[in-house]
Amino acid sequence: MSAEIRNLKGQVAVLHKALDLLECLVAAPLTAADISKQIGVAKPTVYRLLSTLQSRGFIAKESDGARYMIGSAIHALGAGGGNAPDLVALTRPFTSRLAATYGETVNVAVKSGGEILYVDVLQSAHRLRTDMPAGGRDHLHSTALGKAILADLPEGEAKAILTTIDRVQVTPSTVVAVPALLRQLAAVRQCGYAVDDQENEIASVCIASAIRGYDNHPVGAISISGPRWRIDDQLVKVIGEELVLICGSLSDVLRLGGARADVAALS
């Protein structure tokens, strides 16, 4: 075992180095060589740490591919009060209203590694409905929730994630080619909401918009999902535009500190 990852009494030395690395990147994006100098670890070890942290979304590469920066998973853990428990409390007044208005399943999810993690699900009362429980995980590339979150990331970070995750062909409609997915993300940035039209489940459609934290990084997303025959193109647009307004308001609250009084006033 190399000197820089030898065990400390009662502690894990390599974890200290990973945390040192993250602390460096909080200050500014850095190259692997810069990180090696700052934390006093040989470059091969730095590259192993970077590879591991990048695979979980805790760091990402800048669009030019030279420097590393803090990734979206850090922000999902708790940026601006946006960790999962607080995100549920923050969004529940809105998701409850959406569920009552449209009668369809309403979901809240965050990015977790190369997937989305459902942190809150309000199931539709219809017998025929989409059915993913809170705590379940799903794909980034084929879900509206995943695409909404990816579209709110810097383009270089979103591209880096798409090139590293397993882009499964979930249904015949699933888009798996990175250039095509990047075009989808560009369209999401234009209108503010993402649509998965039978890309993750046959005969099902889902519409989602992302919530941003205090630093403008996405901390999660809200979606409405249901059978395609109940949610036509016109309703997709109506739902999408309402989600944009709601998620924009929630993002404003997080940027201002997430005061519960402000949330109550908005709802």
Side-chain angles (χ1 to χ4, degrees), residues 13-259:
V14 70
L15 182 55
H16 278 288
K17 293 304 179 183
L19 294 172
D20 289 343
L21 187 155
L22 289 171
E23 287 174 352
C24 285
L25 295 181
V26 168
L30 296 169
T31 65
D34 292 333
I35 295 168
S36 175
K37 291 177 184 176
Q38 289 202 25
I39 68 174
V41 172
K43 278 202 286 187
T45 302
V46 168
Y47 280 118
R48 289 196 294 274
L49 291 171
L50 289 169
S51 177
T52 301
L53 291 168
Q54 189 174 2
S55 73
R56 296 293 298 271
F58 289 101
I59 64 167
K61 269 192 172 181
E62 286 191 323
S63 55
D64 62 8
R67 299 191 302 176
Y68 294 86
M69 59 186 181
I70 291 295
S72 59
I74 290 289
H75 305 284
L77 284 177
N83 56 27
D86 284 344
L87 193 61
V88 172
L90 182 74
T91 56
R92 183 54 76 88
F94 301 92
T95 54
S96 296
R97 190 179 71 197
L98 288 167
T101 299
Y102 295 104
E104 302 294 352
T105 299
V106 182
N107 312 282
V108 180
V110 299
K111 181 180 175 297
S112 176
E115 300 173 305
I116 59 167
L117 171 68
Y118 291 87
V119 295
D120 196 25
V121 178
L122 300 181
Q123 291 284 8
S124 168
H126 292 290
R127 293 181 67 182
L128 183 60
R129 65 193 183 194
T130 55
D131 192 13
M132 175 63 76
R137 291 175 176 269
D138 218 332
H139 304 289
L140 278 170
H141 70 291
S142 61
T143 61
L145 286 159
K147 291 178 186 181
I149 292 170
L150 287 172
D152 254 18
L153 293 172
E155 186 175 359
E157 185 175 348
K159 183 177 181 180
I161 291 168
L162 286 172
T163 55
T164 56
I165 62 174
D166 187 10
R167 300 183 304 280
V168 180
Q169 185 80 48
V170 186
T171 76
S173 300
T174 307
V175 177
V176 295
V178 172
L181 286 165
L182 291 174
R183 287 193 293 271
Q184 283 191 341
L185 299 186
V188 174
R189 294 185 190 104
Q190 288 292 317
C191 68
Y193 62 91
V195 179
D196 122 42
D197 190 354
Q198 305 187 73
E199 294 175 58
N200 199 58
E201 185 177 343
I202 293 174
S204 175
V205 64
C206 186
I207 310 99
S209 188
I211 304 166
R212 296 181 179 183
Y214 75 97
D215 56 359
N216 256 356
H217 265 69
V219 296
I222 300 174
S223 76
I224 294 178
S225 57
R228 191 65 174 96
W229 61 269
R230 280 205 307 258
I231 304 178
D232 59 17
D233 289 344
Q234 183 178 357
L235 188 53
V236 165
K237 187 173 186 294
V238 170
I239 290 172
E241 290 174 350
E242 183 165 3
L243 286 174
V244 169
L245 291 175
I246 288 172
C247 291
S249 297
L250 290 169
S251 299
D252 289 341
V253 169
L254 289 178
R255 280 194 289 269
L256 293 172

